[in-house]
Amino acid sequence: MKKSASLFFNRELSWIEFNARVLAEASRKENPLLERLKFLSIVSSNFDEFFMVRVAGLKHQAQVNPNETDSFGLTAKEQLSLISEQVHKIFFEQHAMVKEQFFPLLEKKGIIYVPPENFSDAERNFAGNFFQEQLFSLLTPIKALTPVEGTGGNELPYIANLRLYAAFLLTPIVDKKDIHPAFCPAADEKPLALVQVPASLDRIVRLPSERKELRFTLLDDIILAFGTRLFEGYSVEQSLVFKAVCDAAFAVDEDRHEDFMEAMEEILAARRASVPIRLTCTNGSPDITKILIEKTGLSEEDIYTAGKIIDLAFLSRLADKLSDMHGFSKLRYPVWKHFYPKELVRGEAVWDVLKQRDVLLHVPYESYDPVLRFISDAADDPGVLAIKMTLYRTSGESPVIKMLERAARNGKQVTVLVELKARFDEKRNISWAQQLMHYGVIVVHGIVNLKVHAKMLLVVRRENEGIIRYVHMATGNYNEKTARLYSDMSLFTSNREIANDASAFFNMLSGYSAIQTMRRLYMAPINLKSRLLHMIEREKLHSTPETPGLIMAKMNSLADSDIIKALYEANRAGVRILLNVRGICTLVPGIRRQSENIKVISIVDRFLEHTRLFYFQNGGAEEVYLSSADWMSRNLDRRVELMFPVTQDDLFQELKDILLLYFSDNTHAHELNTDGTWTLKKPRPGEDAVRAQEALYNRYKQRADAAHKEIPRLFTVRRKEPRV
């Protein structure tokens, strides 16, 4: 980072550093080629959201509070300048990697990107026919009368967020014989025409080839190459492709209680019509670029110019297409199975197991099916009286929604808190809320001024012994698709105290109960943060030179100043602090008398690390917790989050071992330096290579193999039936 800091790193620059680590994963030659493309794609998608939210917020701040500084001592304007500098650096590195490394590597594998200037005659004929037959009727040129400098002109038309546009600077052909004079353009008119690239068509267009290779071009390439057909009476002077990232940092009116869903829909409409924050453009058209800068009100800092291709997010789609084709599967990671937990029996309900013990689920190493089975069984079981759960993000075709609808039809009392303010999932969640209400589900739309980010499911069941409550709590969303890609943990339990707390939690969320004290669970913004601060302080008090304290914590982001200051105080008392932070980390490690005992690592590998897991040595009375919350102010002060203990001996030890394994990783772990940079760890001479995710997969595989070798419950008898 450019500016030194004694206490904190800048949050935004720290997040950019995370994307630099993702890009570094794309550059690793030992990774399969198509996986490297995925990492490149992720960087592009990440920056889109970053500009829509964080950069947009800073631009607002620069106008309203220009002198306000962050904990790093930077004004909004200074942050925007540093952000532009760092993102441009990554942007250029990304595009250089595509041109100089990936396209040549793909070509060696028979996967060839063909720009229009390299079309063969057959390919040019194909592309021309494709334009005429599939594109021409879809495209709608919008003429913005924006002449060259000095002649004035109209404003640009509305530009949709994250959509690709082809822009054409036109010159009239005034003597064209077949144009009626009434329609012939004026001689001094030089308009800029915009054509939106259809999102309904696949951007990747496969070209015909007689060889055993895949030759492809892009939809926007074809539009640029043949777009002149759209402009009778004009010739094309310059052209380019651009994409606008627009402001999405809108806050809903929290006072609109009765029509909150309508208020959220208004936010979505405002987002669709918001102003550009960033432009990415292909190069070679300086006049068009100048016009776009002038008419959008952006500065040079906001413009990102690439070569022939922008919006590298399409590389993920390319990797998926190739994965489905014969012969290319070897360019992906080897398949890792999702093992069924050994404590559960596939196809059987979990009630009897959970009365005896807690069950820990670690996805994606273990299958997400037990969660879906838990909800499905609850929907159909005659003994189940009620289901209560929170929903923050779900998949597009969520089976959970269908199960909850079925439960309501089966006469269960179903209560669901659907968080309508889950950013960029608002539209989907509004739809789910309306659909659930249609089937008689009691739907809560969230809490005023707070986002409900906690993940909990409560099932109330009548059994012979009376009413039994079963609880599922998780670090990640109820989303079966991300459960195959994100590393998350969850706990099934029938512990009575936790069940009491779960009931109190849902009573508070439904609005029919005042804030209640919970005995085993900790809830933000009520007491989760104070509990963390207490445990850090307790660790400090227990720590001695002979037996120093120990804190190990794994999370996505660390940026809460109170927590960081408490960790610094614990450090001064000799507490050893090991932090596994995937993304943002504003804590500065390695400073004498402040953080010399603090080590921060970040692991970037095939699965997205998403688990929040905290360990406190506590003078020998060890404690371990799972949580939905990162150690950020937004999670601890402005969201409803949960932290829950894991006390069962075998599960406790398993979580502690997993934390230690992560800190032993020396192949995919990056360590944070005092200057804010990160260094990839490598095995020392004579040291075995440790890859935490691979070690975890092998651990669960061995466990599954051992379970298969256990004595079966029934003998399988071979016999021949007697003849009749």
Side-chain angles (χ1 to χ4, degrees):
M1 293 186 183
K2 297 297 183 182
K3 190 172 180 177
S4 62
S6 58
L7 289 178
F8 308 107
F9 291 129
N10 174 266
R11 169 188 165 140
E12 320 305 344
L13 298 182
S14 178
W15 191 89
I16 293 170
E17 286 285 345
F18 163 64
N19 284 278
R21 298 195 294 280
V22 176
L23 187 61
E25 201 66 18
S27 69
R28 294 179 66 148
K29 295 180 180 179
E30 64 268 32
N31 284 335
L33 181 56
L34 298 186
E35 303 296 346
R36 295 170 66 185
L37 289 182
K38 285 261 186 177
F39 284 114
L40 269 175
S41 173
I42 289 169
V43 173
S44 292
S45 301
N46 283 352
F47 276 131
D48 283 345
E49 183 171 339
F50 176 65
F51 276 84
M52 282 190 284
V53 180
R54 300 301 304 180
V55 174
L58 285 171
K59 283 180 175 283
H60 289 307
Q61 182 186 326
Q63 293 176 345
V64 178
N65 298 306
N67 297 322
E68 182 181 345
T69 61
D70 72 338
S71 57
F72 197 60
L74 295 171
T75 65
K77 186 175 181 180
E78 289 172 328
Q79 291 182 70
L80 289 169
S81 179
L82 287 171
I83 287 169
S84 177
E85 179 184 339
Q86 295 301 311
V87 177
H88 269 98
K89 180 180 177 182
I90 292 176
F91 179 83
F92 291 135
E93 185 177 350
Q94 246 190 311
H95 285 266
M97 287 173 65
V98 171
K99 179 181 178 181
E100 298 167 12
Q101 296 182 40
F102 286 98
F103 280 165
L105 287 171
L106 287 168
E107 187 165 349
K108 289 181 180 179
K109 302 295 183 181
I111 308 161
I112 304 167
Y113 165 65
V114 187
E117 61 268 24
N118 292 344
F119 283 168
S120 66
D121 291 342
E123 289 168 341
R124 181 162 294 279
N125 288 335
F126 170 85
N129 290 334
F130 183 94
F131 180 88
Q132 201 66 36
E133 295 170 7
Q134 299 196 43
L135 283 174
F136 188 84
S137 60
L138 291 179
L139 302 179
T140 305
I142 303 172
K143 187 166 67 172
L145 292 176
T146 312
V148 294
E149 184 181 4
T151 59
N154 298 333
E155 294 300 316
L156 286 175
Y158 164 67
I159 298 174
N161 188 31
L162 302 181
R163 296 292 293 272
L164 289 175
Y165 286 83
F168 299 88
L169 189 62
L170 306 175
T171 301
I173 307 173
V174 295
D175 59 347
K176 190 151 186 172
K177 304 300 183 185
D178 55 350
I179 300 293
H180 189 280
F183 298 98
C184 195
D188 60 349
E189 184 183 321
K190 298 189 72 173
L192 175 71
L194 305 183
V195 178
Q196 191 178 100
V197 178
S200 56
L201 298 180
D202 194 338
R203 190 180 175 198
I204 301 167
V205 180
R206 186 169 183 175
L207 297 170
S209 177
E210 297 179 357
R211 305 174 187 173
K212 291 184 178 180
E213 59 187 17
L214 188 152
R215 296 171 64 85
F216 73 94
T217 194
L218 299 178
L219 203 61
D220 31 304
D221 286 326
I222 294 177
I223 292 173
L224 280 189
F226 298 95
T228 53
R229 299 180 185 180
L230 297 167
F231 309 110
E232 289 293 332
Y234 294 90
S235 63
V236 174
E237 190 172 293
Q238 294 180 23
S239 62
L240 58 70
V241 175
F242 74 91
K243 183 183 83 169
V245 177
C246 298
D247 185 352
F250 298 100
V252 68
D253 183 356
E254 295 281 359
D255 293 329
R256 291 176 60 177
H257 306 304
E258 299 301 323
D259 62 342
F260 188 73
M261 194 176 293
E262 182 179 333
M264 285 303 308
E265 289 173 338
E266 290 172 7
I267 289 294
L268 295 179
R271 189 182 293 166
R272 288 193 292 270
S274 63
V275 298
I277 296 296
R278 176 199 192 204
L279 281 180
T280 54
C281 311
T282 55
N283 60 17
S285 305
D287 290 337
I288 297 179
T289 303
K290 189 173 183 179
I291 293 170
L292 291 174
I293 293 173
E294 176 190 348
K295 295 302 181 181
T296 57
L298 296 176
S299 68
E300 294 285 351
E301 285 185 346
D302 303 315
I303 310 301
Y304 293 76
T305 305
K308 298 180 182 300
I309 300 177
I310 60 168
D311 194 17
L312 297 180
F314 87 92
L315 293 172
S316 179
R317 172 68 180 145
L318 175 63
D320 288 338
K321 287 174 72 77
L322 292 171
S323 299
D324 296 335
M325 297 176 61
H326 177 71
F328 293 118
S329 60
K330 61 181 179 296
L331 302 180
R332 300 299 299 264
Y333 285 130
V335 175
W336 283 1
K337 295 180 181 178
H338 310 289
F339 303 105
Y340 210 80
K342 63 182 179 63
E343 298 86 358
L344 303 176
V345 178
R346 191 184 292 273
E348 293 187 10
V350 302
W351 321 120
D352 292 339
V353 173
L354 295 186
K355 283 198 283 272
Q356 303 299 319
R357 58 166 291 127
D358 293 347
V359 174
L360 182 71
L361 186 69
H362 192 181
V363 296
Y365 309 101
E366 294 182 296
S367 170
Y368 195 67
D369 288 351
V371 177
L372 299 178
R373 179 63 193 254
F374 185 58
I375 303 171
S376 182
D377 286 347
D380 298 328
D381 192 309
V384 170
L385 305 177
I387 302 171
K388 302 181 181 184
M389 75 180 301
T390 61
L391 286 179
Y392 190 74
R393 299 190 196 278
T394 59
S395 63
E397 300 293 330
S398 175
V400 172
I401 300 295
K402 296 180 177 64
M403 294 170 186
L404 294 173
E405 292 171 356
R406 192 170 78 242
R409 291 198 305 269
N410 288 341
K412 320 296 182 188
Q413 182 175 323
V414 182
T415 304
V416 181
L417 188 143
V418 181
E419 182 48 80
L420 301 187
K421 292 179 287 188
R423 198 186 299 272
F424 303 122
D425 276 325
E426 299 98 335
K427 183 177 180 181
R428 176 181 293 168
N429 286 4
I430 288 171
S431 175
W432 288 144
Q434 293 171 332
Q435 189 172 324
L436 288 169
M437 286 189 290
H438 176 75
Y439 285 94
V441 174
I442 300 169
V443 176
V444 181
H445 296 154
I447 307 297
V448 177
N449 295 319
L450 299 171
K451 282 187 181 180
V452 179
H453 192 247
K455 298 45 164 112
M456 177 181 277
L457 169 62
L458 172 66
V459 174
V460 182
R461 189 170 186 258
R462 180 187 286 119
E463 301 182 5
N464 293 334
E465 311 91 279
I467 299 296
I468 305 294
R469 290 164 297 178
Y470 300 91
V471 183
H472 176 262
M473 300 167 291
T475 67
N477 294 305
Y478 288 103
N479 186 323
E480 77 289 349
K481 291 187 177 178
T482 56
R484 302 187 196 112
L485 305 170
Y486 293 7
S487 171
D488 269 307
M489 293 182 179
S490 60
L491 184 73
F492 295 90
T493 185
S494 64
N495 179 282
R496 183 169 296 180
E497 289 185 334
I498 288 180
N500 288 338
D501 286 352
S503 296
F505 173 77
F506 280 109
N507 287 340
M508 286 186 277
L509 292 191
S510 64
Y512 299 115
S513 174
I515 301 301
Q516 300 181 43
T517 300
M518 295 189 290
R519 298 188 61 183
R520 303 296 297 277
L521 306 183
Y522 299 93
M523 177 179 173
I526 299 170
N527 62 355
L528 199 163
K529 182 174 179 176
S530 60
R531 178 62 181 176
L532 288 171
L533 292 172
H534 166 75
M535 290 190 291
I536 295 170
E537 175 70 14
R538 185 185 64 187
E539 205 66 31
K540 182 180 79 171
L541 296 176
H542 282 317
S543 185
T544 67
E546 295 75 27
T547 57
L550 175 62
I551 297 171
M552 295 188 290
K554 181 182 184 302
M555 66 201 77
N556 298 323
S557 297
L558 169 58
D560 183 84
S561 58
D562 294 330
I563 296 289
I564 292 173
K565 288 176 183 177
L567 292 172
Y568 288 157
E569 287 297 319
N571 169 88
R572 293 185 185 101
V575 177
R576 186 177 172 222
I577 302 169
L578 303 177
L579 302 173
N580 181 350
V581 185
R582 186 196 79 213
I584 297 166
C585 181
T586 61
L587 177 147
V588 183
I591 295 182
R592 187 168 176 266
R593 295 180 182 175
Q594 175 179 294
S595 55
E596 68 269 32
N597 299 319
I598 302 178
K599 176 182 179 181
V600 184
I601 66 162
S602 172
I603 290 179
V604 181
D605 203 345
R606 67 182 289 172
F607 298 140
L608 180 79
E609 291 294 339
H610 196 250
T611 304
R612 291 89 167 190
L613 172 59
F614 316 136
Y615 165 89
F616 297 87
Q617 187 171 271
N618 190 24
E622 303 166 294
E623 294 180 357
V624 67
Y625 296 87
L626 291 168
S627 180
S628 62
D630 289 312
W631 289 0
M632 300 183 74
S633 297
R634 72 177 187 188
N635 299 87
L636 303 177
D637 299 328
R638 301 190 297 276
R639 288 185 175 184
V640 175
E641 305 271 13
L642 284 173
M643 181 173 73
F644 50 95
V646 178
T647 57
Q648 187 171 289
D649 288 346
D650 59 334
L651 302 185
F652 177 96
Q653 189 59 49
E654 181 174 351
L655 292 178
K656 183 179 176 182
D657 290 344
I658 287 172
L659 274 172
L660 291 169
L661 173 62
Y662 275 116
F663 290 111
S664 68
D665 189 303
N666 56 17
T667 61
H668 286 72
H670 302 250
E671 186 165 357
L672 179 58
N673 304 311
T674 303
D675 63 355
T677 60
W678 296 76
T679 301
L680 179 65
K681 294 180 65 178
K682 296 180 180 180
R684 295 171 182 158
E687 185 179 45
D688 291 336
V690 178
R691 181 184 177 191
Q693 290 192 0
E694 185 177 48
L696 283 169
Y697 172 77
N698 289 332
R699 181 179 298 181
Y700 287 104
K701 183 178 185 302
Q702 291 168 7
R703 183 183 294 179
D705 291 344
H708 290 156
K709 295 178 182 178
E710 290 180 357
I711 298 174
R713 289 195 238 172
L714 294 174
F715 289 110
T716 302
V717 179
R718 289 195 184 95
R719 66 182 182 183
K720 192 172 184 179
E721 297 295 334
R723 294 181 181 178
V724 178

